[in-house]
Amino acid sequence: MKPVAFLKNVNREMKKVSWPRGRELTRYTITVILTVVFVTVFFALIDTGITQLLNLLFE
């Protein structure tokens, strides 16, 4: 497919997209941020626990 035809198809498809409204976008953004924070804290705790366990085993 030629680049120009590809970009025309992309433009046509993007017009079909249902974009979220302001309030909906805010809810999605908050959900994503909270999920990222939760996963970050979860893996930090797991990493700390594994590090402590390995330190106990090898020291």
Side-chain angles (χ1 to χ4, degrees):
M1 181 182 286
K2 294 183 180 181
V4 174
F6 173 75
L7 292 176
K8 284 182 181 180
N9 286 334
V10 168
N11 189 31
R12 189 177 315 127
E13 290 299 319
M14 291 302 287
K15 289 180 181 177
K16 296 178 186 177
V17 173
S18 173
W19 298 101
R21 301 285 179 227
R23 204 173 247 187
E24 194 176 23
L25 182 61
T26 302
R27 280 198 342 243
Y28 292 162
T29 303
I30 291 170
T31 302
V32 168
I33 290 171
L34 290 177
T35 303
V36 169
V37 168
F38 173 78
V39 170
T40 302
V41 169
F42 175 77
F43 281 113
L45 291 173
I46 296 297
D47 182 51
T48 302
I50 291 172
T51 301
Q52 293 296 323
L53 181 64
L54 290 175
N55 284 339
L56 286 173
L57 291 174
F58 293 112
E59 285 185 3

